[in-house]
Protein backbone atom coordinates (compact mmCIF):
# COMPACT_ATOMS: atom_id res chain seq x y z
CA UNK A 1 0.00 0.00 0.00
CA UNK A 2 1.43 3.35 -1.07
CA UNK A 3 0.64 6.06 1.50
CA UNK A 4 0.44 9.36 -0.30
CA UNK A 5 0.75 12.97 0.88
CA UNK A 6 -1.05 15.30 -1.50
CA UNK A 7 0.41 18.79 -1.03
CA UNK A 8 -1.83 21.34 -2.74
CA UNK A 9 -4.78 18.97 -2.34
CA UNK A 10 -7.44 21.63 -2.98
CA UNK A 11 -5.94 22.65 -6.32
CA UNK A 12 -6.36 21.39 -9.85
CA UNK A 13 -3.51 18.85 -9.65
CA UNK A 14 -4.62 17.88 -6.15
CA UNK A 15 -8.09 17.00 -7.45
CA UNK A 16 -6.64 14.91 -10.30
CA UNK A 17 -4.28 13.11 -7.91
CA UNK A 18 -7.09 12.31 -5.47
CA UNK A 19 -9.25 11.05 -8.32
CA UNK A 20 -6.54 8.56 -9.35
CA UNK A 21 -5.84 7.55 -5.74
CA UNK A 22 -9.54 6.88 -5.07
CA UNK A 23 -9.62 4.43 -8.01
CA UNK A 24 -7.09 2.17 -6.24
CA UNK A 25 -8.24 1.74 -2.65
CA UNK A 26 -6.09 -1.38 -2.14
CA UNK A 27 -2.92 0.10 -3.64
CA UNK A 28 -3.05 3.80 -2.83
CA UNK A 29 -4.25 5.83 0.16
CA UNK A 30 -4.30 9.60 0.63
CA UNK A 31 -2.84 9.79 4.11
CA UNK A 32 -1.83 13.46 4.30
CA UNK A 33 -3.67 16.36 2.67
CA UNK A 34 -2.23 19.89 2.67
CA UNK A 35 -3.67 23.15 1.38
CA UNK A 36 -2.98 26.89 1.54
CA UNK A 37 -5.95 28.65 3.13
CA UNK A 38 -9.22 27.08 1.99
CA UNK A 39 -10.37 25.27 5.14
CA UNK A 40 -13.82 24.28 3.85
CA UNK A 41 -12.42 22.66 0.71
CA UNK A 42 -9.80 20.82 2.76
CA UNK A 43 -12.38 19.54 5.26
CA UNK A 44 -14.60 18.34 2.40
CA UNK A 45 -11.64 16.39 0.97
CA UNK A 46 -10.94 14.90 4.40
CA UNK A 47 -14.56 13.80 4.60
CA UNK A 48 -14.22 11.96 1.29
CA UNK A 49 -10.66 10.61 1.51
CA UNK A 50 -10.24 10.05 5.30
CA UNK A 51 -6.54 10.97 5.60
CA UNK A 52 -4.76 10.62 8.96
CA UNK A 53 -3.46 14.20 8.73
CA UNK A 54 -4.65 17.48 7.27
CA UNK A 55 -2.53 20.64 7.20
CA UNK A 56 -3.51 24.19 6.44
CA UNK A 57 -0.53 26.40 5.56
CA UNK A 58 -1.96 29.53 7.20
CA UNK A 59 -1.25 29.15 10.95
CA UNK A 60 -4.15 31.42 11.96
CA UNK A 61 -6.59 28.88 10.48
CA UNK A 62 -5.59 25.99 12.75
CA UNK A 63 -8.51 26.41 15.17
CA UNK A 64 -11.02 26.62 12.36
CA UNK A 65 -9.64 23.50 10.68
CA UNK A 66 -9.70 21.49 13.91
CA UNK A 67 -13.24 22.61 14.77
CA UNK A 68 -14.63 21.93 11.30
CA UNK A 69 -13.04 18.47 11.14
CA UNK A 70 -14.64 17.68 14.50
CA UNK A 71 -18.03 19.08 13.35
CA UNK A 72 -17.84 16.90 10.26
CA UNK A 73 -17.13 13.86 12.43
CA UNK A 74 -13.84 13.24 10.62
CA UNK A 75 -11.06 11.67 12.72
CA UNK A 76 -8.27 13.40 10.74
CA UNK A 77 -5.65 15.14 12.86
CA UNK A 78 -5.35 18.89 12.18
CA UNK A 79 -2.03 20.72 11.71
CA UNK A 80 -1.10 24.21 10.55
CA UNK A 81 1.89 26.06 9.13
CA UNK A 82 4.39 25.47 6.36
CA UNK A 83 6.76 23.72 8.75
CA UNK A 84 4.08 21.15 9.58
CA UNK A 85 3.71 20.46 5.84
CA UNK A 86 7.48 19.92 5.55
CA UNK A 87 7.53 17.61 8.57
CA UNK A 88 4.62 15.51 7.36
CA UNK A 89 6.11 15.29 3.86
CA UNK A 90 9.37 14.00 5.34
CA UNK A 91 7.88 11.87 8.11
CA UNK A 92 6.47 8.37 8.54
CA UNK A 93 2.89 9.26 7.58
CA UNK A 94 3.71 8.86 3.87
CA UNK A 95 6.11 7.19 1.48
CA UNK A 96 4.99 9.15 -1.60
CA UNK A 97 4.49 12.88 -2.01
CA UNK A 98 2.49 14.61 -4.72
CA UNK A 99 4.20 18.01 -4.79
CA UNK A 100 1.42 20.23 -6.16
CA UNK A 101 1.66 23.47 -4.22
CA UNK A 102 1.80 26.40 -6.63
CA UNK A 103 4.88 28.61 -6.82
CA UNK A 104 8.10 28.96 -4.85
CA UNK A 105 6.01 28.23 -1.73
CA UNK A 106 6.34 24.58 -2.75
CA UNK A 107 10.13 24.46 -2.55
CA UNK A 108 10.61 23.59 1.13
CA UNK A 109 8.15 20.70 1.19
CA UNK A 110 9.51 19.35 -2.11
CA UNK A 111 13.05 19.47 -0.71
CA UNK A 112 11.92 17.91 2.57
CA UNK A 113 10.31 15.00 0.72
CA UNK A 114 13.33 14.56 -1.57
CA UNK A 115 15.81 14.67 1.32
CA UNK A 116 13.74 12.05 3.14
CA UNK A 117 14.08 9.74 0.13
CA UNK A 118 10.37 9.69 -0.78
CA UNK A 119 8.82 8.92 -4.13
CA UNK A 120 8.03 12.43 -5.33
CA UNK A 121 5.42 12.93 -8.04
CA UNK A 122 6.55 16.43 -8.92
CA UNK A 123 4.09 18.97 -10.34
CA UNK A 124 5.57 22.02 -8.63
CA UNK A 125 7.91 23.10 -11.44
CA UNK A 126 8.80 26.35 -9.67
CA UNK A 127 10.87 24.44 -7.09
CA UNK A 128 13.11 23.14 -9.91
CA UNK A 129 13.34 26.55 -11.57
CA UNK A 130 14.34 28.10 -8.27
CA UNK A 131 16.64 25.39 -6.93
CA UNK A 132 16.94 22.64 -9.53
CA UNK A 133 20.56 21.78 -8.83
CA UNK A 134 19.93 21.49 -5.09
CA UNK A 135 16.78 19.39 -5.51
CA UNK A 136 18.40 17.00 -7.98
CA UNK A 137 21.56 16.66 -5.88
CA UNK A 138 19.43 15.95 -2.80
CA UNK A 139 17.62 13.22 -4.76
CA UNK A 140 20.91 11.60 -5.78
CA UNK A 141 22.08 11.66 -2.17
CA UNK A 142 18.90 10.33 -0.59
CA UNK A 143 17.89 7.95 -3.38
CA UNK A 144 14.53 9.69 -3.77
CA UNK A 145 12.75 8.85 -7.01
CA UNK A 146 11.43 12.02 -8.64
CA UNK A 147 8.80 11.21 -11.25
CA UNK A 148 7.84 14.39 -13.12
CA UNK A 149 4.10 14.96 -13.36
CA UNK A 150 4.23 18.06 -15.56
CA UNK A 151 2.79 16.52 -18.74
CA UNK A 152 5.75 17.33 -21.01
CA UNK A 153 8.33 16.02 -18.57
CA UNK A 154 6.18 13.03 -17.79
CA UNK A 155 6.13 12.33 -21.55
CA UNK A 156 9.93 12.57 -21.74
CA UNK A 157 10.20 10.39 -18.62
CA UNK A 158 8.12 7.76 -20.40
CA UNK A 159 10.16 8.00 -23.64
CA UNK A 160 13.60 7.69 -22.05
CA UNK A 161 14.84 4.39 -20.61
CA UNK A 162 15.54 3.92 -16.91
CA UNK A 163 19.05 4.04 -15.52
CA UNK A 164 19.70 1.35 -12.89
CA UNK A 165 15.98 0.65 -12.55
CA UNK A 166 15.49 4.01 -10.84
CA UNK A 167 13.48 7.07 -11.84
CA UNK A 168 16.70 8.65 -13.14
CA UNK A 169 16.61 8.54 -16.95
CA UNK A 170 19.31 7.27 -19.28
CA UNK A 171 20.08 10.08 -21.74
CA UNK A 172 22.90 8.36 -23.61
CA UNK A 173 22.33 8.71 -27.35
CA UNK A 174 19.91 11.59 -26.88
CA UNK A 175 20.19 14.40 -29.44
CA UNK A 176 17.48 16.78 -28.24
CA UNK A 177 14.28 17.18 -26.30
CA UNK A 178 11.28 18.79 -27.94
CA UNK A 179 8.78 20.26 -25.50
CA UNK A 180 5.36 20.84 -26.98
CA UNK A 181 3.26 23.88 -26.08
CA UNK A 182 -0.42 24.39 -26.76
CA UNK A 183 0.31 28.05 -27.50
CA UNK A 184 -2.27 29.12 -24.92
CA UNK A 185 -5.41 31.20 -25.48
CA UNK A 186 -3.57 33.92 -27.44
CA UNK A 187 -1.80 31.77 -30.02
CA UNK A 188 -1.58 33.54 -33.38
CA UNK A 189 -2.13 37.02 -31.96
CA UNK A 190 0.25 39.93 -32.38
CA UNK A 191 1.98 41.56 -29.44
CA UNK A 192 0.02 44.79 -29.89
CA UNK A 193 -3.31 43.01 -29.76
CA UNK A 194 -2.45 41.65 -26.31
CA UNK A 195 -2.21 45.01 -24.56
CA UNK A 196 -5.72 45.01 -23.11
CA UNK A 197 -6.49 41.33 -22.56
CA UNK A 198 -8.14 40.57 -19.22
CA UNK A 199 -7.32 37.94 -16.58
CA UNK A 200 -10.52 36.11 -17.59
CA UNK A 201 -9.32 35.84 -21.19
CA UNK A 202 -5.85 34.79 -20.10
CA UNK A 203 -7.18 32.05 -17.81
CA UNK A 204 -9.52 30.55 -20.41
CA UNK A 205 -7.09 27.91 -21.64
CA UNK A 206 -8.23 26.15 -24.83
CA UNK A 207 -7.07 22.63 -23.83
CA UNK A 208 -6.16 22.25 -20.17
CA UNK A 209 -8.10 23.09 -17.03
CA UNK A 210 -5.55 24.41 -14.50
CA UNK A 211 -5.05 26.79 -11.58
CA UNK A 212 -4.95 30.57 -12.28
CA UNK A 213 -1.18 31.08 -12.00
CA UNK A 214 -0.15 28.35 -14.45
CA UNK A 215 -3.00 29.39 -16.77
CA UNK A 216 -1.57 32.91 -17.02
CA UNK A 217 1.91 31.40 -17.47
CA UNK A 218 0.53 29.40 -20.38
CA UNK A 219 -0.90 32.55 -21.94
CA UNK A 220 2.47 34.40 -21.72
CA UNK A 221 4.42 31.22 -22.66
CA UNK A 222 6.38 31.68 -19.43
CA UNK A 223 5.04 28.25 -18.53
CA UNK A 224 7.03 26.76 -21.42
CA UNK A 225 10.05 28.79 -20.35
CA UNK A 226 9.81 27.43 -16.81
CA UNK A 227 9.45 23.96 -18.33
CA UNK A 228 12.65 24.35 -20.38
CA UNK A 229 14.49 25.05 -17.12
CA UNK A 230 12.66 22.18 -15.43
CA UNK A 231 13.67 19.79 -18.24
CA UNK A 232 17.28 20.93 -18.01
CA UNK A 233 17.41 19.92 -14.34
CA UNK A 234 15.34 16.75 -14.51
CA UNK A 235 17.18 15.20 -17.43
CA UNK A 236 20.55 16.97 -17.33
CA UNK A 237 20.16 18.34 -20.87
CA UNK A 238 21.84 21.60 -21.95
CA UNK A 239 19.60 24.47 -23.14
CA UNK A 240 20.89 24.25 -26.73
CA UNK A 241 19.48 20.70 -26.88
CA UNK A 242 15.98 21.71 -25.74
CA UNK A 243 13.52 22.97 -28.36
CA UNK A 244 9.94 24.18 -28.10
CA UNK A 245 7.27 23.43 -30.68
CA UNK A 246 3.73 24.77 -30.59
CA UNK A 247 1.19 21.98 -31.00
CA UNK A 248 -2.35 23.34 -30.61
CA UNK A 249 -4.13 19.99 -30.19
CA UNK A 250 -2.13 19.15 -27.02
CA UNK A 251 -2.15 15.44 -27.83
CA UNK A 252 1.61 14.95 -28.33
CA UNK A 253 2.95 15.81 -24.90
CA UNK A 254 6.64 16.00 -25.90
CA UNK A 255 9.27 14.21 -27.99
CA UNK A 256 12.80 12.89 -27.60
CA UNK A 257 15.19 12.59 -30.53
CA UNK A 258 18.16 10.22 -30.54
CA UNK A 259 21.44 10.36 -32.49
CA UNK A 260 20.28 7.59 -34.84
CA UNK A 261 17.40 9.73 -36.12
CA UNK A 262 14.68 8.04 -34.06
CA UNK A 263 12.12 10.27 -32.43
CA UNK A 264 9.85 8.94 -29.68
CA UNK A 265 6.80 10.79 -28.45
CA UNK A 266 4.13 10.20 -25.82
CA UNK A 267 0.54 10.94 -26.80
CA UNK A 268 -2.69 11.08 -24.87
CA UNK A 269 -5.72 13.20 -24.12
CA UNK A 270 -4.92 16.42 -22.24
CA UNK A 271 -5.86 15.14 -18.77
CA UNK A 272 -3.34 15.32 -15.93
CA UNK A 273 -4.59 12.07 -14.41
CA UNK A 274 -2.45 10.14 -16.90
CA UNK A 275 0.76 11.80 -15.71
CA UNK A 276 -0.34 11.42 -12.08
CA UNK A 277 -1.03 7.72 -12.57
CA UNK A 278 2.53 7.36 -13.89
CA UNK A 279 3.86 9.38 -10.95
CA UNK A 280 1.97 7.29 -8.40
CA UNK A 281 2.27 3.87 -10.01
CA UNK A 282 5.62 3.84 -11.81
CA UNK A 283 6.98 1.39 -12.84
CA UNK A 284 3.49 -0.12 -12.86
CA UNK A 285 0.70 1.20 -15.07
CA UNK A 286 -2.45 2.22 -13.24
CA UNK A 287 -5.98 2.83 -14.50
CA UNK A 288 -6.37 6.63 -14.41
CA UNK A 289 -9.91 7.22 -15.62
CA UNK A 290 -8.56 8.76 -18.84
CA UNK A 291 -9.85 7.29 -22.11
CA UNK A 292 -7.46 6.16 -24.80
CA UNK A 293 -6.61 8.42 -27.69
CA UNK A 294 -8.77 8.17 -30.79
CA UNK A 295 -6.94 10.38 -33.25
CA UNK A 296 -9.85 10.32 -35.71
CA UNK A 297 -12.27 11.49 -33.06
CA UNK A 298 -9.77 14.25 -32.25
CA UNK A 299 -10.03 15.65 -35.78
CA UNK A 300 -7.40 13.42 -37.37
CA UNK A 301 -4.73 16.13 -37.33
CA UNK A 302 -1.57 16.88 -35.44
CA UNK A 303 -0.32 20.40 -36.23
CA UNK A 304 3.01 21.97 -35.27
CA UNK A 305 4.37 25.51 -35.57
CA UNK A 306 7.26 27.55 -34.18
CA UNK A 307 6.61 29.69 -31.10
CA UNK A 308 6.26 33.45 -31.63
CA UNK A 309 9.13 34.86 -29.56
CA UNK A 310 8.11 38.43 -30.38
CA UNK A 311 4.52 38.25 -29.12
CA UNK A 312 5.58 36.09 -26.16
CA UNK A 313 8.95 37.38 -24.89
CA UNK A 314 8.76 35.35 -21.66
CA UNK A 315 10.00 32.24 -23.43
CA UNK A 316 13.22 33.96 -24.50
CA UNK A 317 13.61 35.45 -21.01
CA UNK A 318 13.55 31.97 -19.53
CA UNK A 319 16.20 30.71 -21.97
CA UNK A 320 18.28 33.78 -21.08
CA UNK A 321 17.95 33.04 -17.35
CA UNK A 322 18.86 29.38 -17.82
CA UNK A 323 21.98 30.27 -19.84
CA UNK A 324 22.99 32.91 -17.29
CA UNK A 325 22.61 30.45 -14.39
CA UNK A 326 23.40 31.56 -10.83
CA UNK A 327 20.62 33.68 -9.40
CA UNK A 328 18.92 34.31 -12.74
CA UNK A 329 16.35 31.46 -12.80
CA UNK A 330 15.32 32.21 -9.19
CA UNK A 331 14.95 35.89 -10.10
CA UNK A 332 12.95 35.05 -13.23
CA UNK A 333 10.59 32.84 -11.26
CA UNK A 334 10.05 35.26 -8.37
CA UNK A 335 9.54 38.26 -10.66
CA UNK A 336 7.07 36.26 -12.72
CA UNK A 337 5.08 35.09 -9.68
CA UNK A 338 4.81 38.64 -8.36
CA UNK A 339 3.90 40.07 -11.76
CA UNK A 340 1.27 37.38 -12.42
CA UNK A 341 -0.34 38.09 -9.05
CA UNK A 342 -0.49 41.79 -9.96
CA UNK A 343 -2.00 40.96 -13.35
CA UNK A 344 -4.64 38.72 -11.77
CA UNK A 345 -5.41 41.57 -9.33
CA UNK A 346 -5.83 43.91 -12.36
CA UNK A 347 -2.98 46.15 -11.22
CA UNK A 348 -0.96 45.72 -14.43
CA UNK A 349 -1.60 44.79 -18.03
CA UNK A 350 -0.71 41.52 -19.72
CA UNK A 351 2.37 42.89 -21.50
CA UNK A 352 3.69 44.31 -18.22
CA UNK A 353 4.34 40.77 -16.97
CA UNK A 354 7.19 40.22 -19.43
CA UNK A 355 8.43 43.80 -19.04
CA UNK A 356 8.65 43.44 -15.27
CA UNK A 357 10.43 40.10 -15.50
CA UNK A 358 12.93 41.58 -17.98
CA UNK A 359 13.66 44.62 -15.82
CA UNK A 360 14.09 42.44 -12.73
CA UNK A 361 16.51 40.15 -14.58
CA UNK A 362 18.46 43.24 -15.70
CA UNK A 363 18.67 44.49 -12.12
CA UNK A 364 19.24 41.27 -10.16
CA UNK A 365 19.85 38.41 -12.58
CA UNK A 366 23.64 38.66 -12.69
CA UNK A 367 24.52 37.32 -9.25
CA UNK A 368 26.20 34.04 -8.39
CA UNK A 369 24.61 31.91 -5.67
CA UNK A 370 26.33 29.44 -3.41
CA UNK A 371 23.46 27.82 -1.58
CA UNK A 372 19.79 27.78 -0.68
CA UNK A 373 20.08 30.98 1.37
CA UNK A 374 21.53 32.72 -1.67
CA UNK A 375 18.63 31.54 -3.81
CA UNK A 376 16.11 32.70 -1.22
CA UNK A 377 17.81 36.09 -1.14
CA UNK A 378 17.64 36.33 -4.95
CA UNK A 379 13.95 35.41 -4.76
CA UNK A 380 13.35 38.07 -2.10
CA UNK A 381 15.24 40.79 -4.03
CA UNK A 382 13.30 40.01 -7.20
CA UNK A 383 9.94 40.21 -5.43
CA UNK A 384 10.95 43.49 -3.77
CA UNK A 385 12.06 44.89 -7.13
CA UNK A 386 8.71 44.13 -8.79
CA UNK A 387 6.78 45.43 -5.78
CA UNK A 388 8.72 48.73 -5.93
CA UNK A 389 8.04 49.06 -9.64
CA UNK A 390 4.35 48.46 -9.02
CA UNK A 391 4.25 51.16 -6.33
CA UNK A 392 5.99 53.68 -8.63
CA UNK A 393 3.53 52.90 -11.38
CA UNK A 394 0.50 53.82 -9.26
P1 LIG B 1 -3.95 25.51 -8.08
O1 LIG B 1 -3.89 26.98 -7.91
O2 LIG B 1 -5.16 24.88 -8.66
O3 LIG B 1 -3.67 24.80 -6.68
C1 LIG B 1 -2.62 25.21 -5.86
C2 LIG B 1 -2.66 24.45 -4.54
O4 LIG B 1 -1.56 24.91 -3.73
C3 LIG B 1 -3.94 24.67 -3.72
O5 LIG B 1 -4.27 23.46 -3.07
C4 LIG B 1 -3.50 25.71 -2.68
O6 LIG B 1 -4.23 25.64 -1.49
C5 LIG B 1 -2.07 25.27 -2.45
N1 LIG B 1 -1.22 26.32 -1.90
C6 LIG B 1 -1.04 27.57 -2.39
N2 LIG B 1 -0.15 28.23 -1.61
C7 LIG B 1 0.22 27.38 -0.63
C8 LIG B 1 1.10 27.46 0.46
N3 LIG B 1 1.78 28.58 0.74
N4 LIG B 1 1.25 26.37 1.24
C9 LIG B 1 0.56 25.25 1.00
N5 LIG B 1 -0.29 25.10 -0.03
C10 LIG B 1 -0.45 26.16 -0.82
O7 LIG B 1 -2.65 25.12 -8.94
P2 LIG B 1 -2.44 23.86 -9.90
O8 LIG B 1 -2.89 24.20 -11.26
O9 LIG B 1 -2.96 22.63 -9.24
O10 LIG B 1 -0.86 23.79 -9.96
C11 LIG B 1 -0.07 23.30 -8.89
C12 LIG B 1 1.36 23.12 -9.36
O11 LIG B 1 1.38 22.14 -10.38
C13 LIG B 1 1.97 24.38 -9.98
O12 LIG B 1 3.34 24.43 -9.67
C14 LIG B 1 1.80 24.16 -11.47
O13 LIG B 1 2.77 24.83 -12.24
C15 LIG B 1 1.97 22.66 -11.56
N6 LIG B 1 1.30 22.07 -12.73
C16 LIG B 1 -0.04 22.14 -12.85
C17 LIG B 1 -0.68 21.59 -13.97
C18 LIG B 1 -2.18 21.62 -14.11
O14 LIG B 1 -2.70 21.01 -15.05
N7 LIG B 1 -2.92 22.27 -13.24
C19 LIG B 1 0.10 20.98 -14.95
C20 LIG B 1 1.48 20.92 -14.79
C21 LIG B 1 2.07 21.47 -13.67
MG1 LIG C 1 3.31 21.34 -18.61
Amino acid sequence: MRRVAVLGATGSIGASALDVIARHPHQLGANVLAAGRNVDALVALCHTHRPDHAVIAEPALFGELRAKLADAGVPTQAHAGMQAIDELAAGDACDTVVAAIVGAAGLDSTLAAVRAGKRVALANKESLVLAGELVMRAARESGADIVPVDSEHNAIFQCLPALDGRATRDTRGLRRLVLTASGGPFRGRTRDSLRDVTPEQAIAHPRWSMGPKISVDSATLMNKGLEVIEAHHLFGVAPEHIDVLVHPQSLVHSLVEFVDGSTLAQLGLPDMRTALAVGLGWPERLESGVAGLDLLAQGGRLDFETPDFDAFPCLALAFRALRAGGAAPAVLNAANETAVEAFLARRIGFLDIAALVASTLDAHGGGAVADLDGLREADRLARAHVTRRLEHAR
Side-chain angles (χ1 to χ4, degrees), residues 141-326:
E141 285 168 6
S142 70
D145 278 321
I146 298 178
V147 181
V149 163
D150 207 348
S151 57
E152 298 75 7
H153 309 75
N154 188 265
I156 293 165
F157 179 90
Q158 294 189 57
C159 291
L160 289 173
L163 195 67
D164 306 330
R166 306 296 306 270
T168 313
R169 300 291 91 182
D170 184 350
T171 53
R172 286 173 296 179
L174 182 77
R175 188 184 280 154
R176 63 176 185 139
L177 302 177
V178 182
L179 299 178
T180 53
S182 69
F186 305 136
R187 182 177 63 89
R189 290 185 52 167
T190 61
R191 187 174 156 72
D192 266 354
S193 78
L194 295 174
R195 204 164 297 282
D196 297 320
V197 297
T198 63
E200 289 75 16
Q201 291 170 311
I203 282 177
H205 197 278
R207 298 281 163 211
W208 296 93
S209 154
M210 309 182 288
K213 191 262 178 181
I214 182 176
S215 296
V216 175
D217 286 348
S218 299
T220 60
L221 286 202
M222 180 59 94
N223 183 50
K224 212 48 53 180
L226 300 177
E227 290 182 357
V228 168
I229 302 175
E230 180 185 12
H232 162 73
H233 290 297
L234 282 168
F235 305 111
V237 175
E240 55 274 24
H241 298 295
I242 306 175
D243 290 336
V244 172
L245 206 50
V246 172
H247 166 49
Q249 290 92 355
S250 294
L251 299 173
V252 177
H253 297 306
S254 277
L255 311 94
V256 301
E257 182 185 313
F258 297 95
V259 290
D260 58 7
S262 288
T263 294
L264 299 187
Q266 185 260 347
L267 288 78
L269 293 173
D271 185 323
M272 291 305 292
R273 290 177 300 174
T274 298
L276 281 154
V278 173
L280 292 166
W282 175 84
E284 270 177 62
R285 293 279 176 179
L286 296 178
E287 168 71 51
S288 68
V290 181
L293 179 59
D294 178 348
L295 283 167
L296 292 178
Q298 296 296 316
R301 289 180 62 106
L302 298 174
D303 294 313
F304 299 93
E305 52 196 61
T306 50
D308 182 345
F309 283 89
D310 178 53
F312 305 103
C314 284
L315 183 53
L317 289 171
F319 269 105
R320 171 182 152 194
L322 175 56
R323 290 204 178 92

Side-chain angles (χ1 to χ4, degrees), residues 75-95:
T76 301
Q77 195 181 334
H79 308 258
M82 296 298 281
Q83 206 183 325
I85 299 180
D86 303 348
E87 284 167 10
L88 281 158
D92 296 335
C94 66
D95 45 59

Side-chain angles (χ1 to χ4, degrees), residues 120 180 186 194 205 271 291 304 336-337 348 352 355 361 384 386 392:
V120 180
T180 53
F186 305 136
L194 295 174
H205 197 278
D271 185 323
F304 299 93
N336 180 59
E337 279 188 32
I348 60 171
D352 297 327
L361 271 179
V386 174
H392 282 300

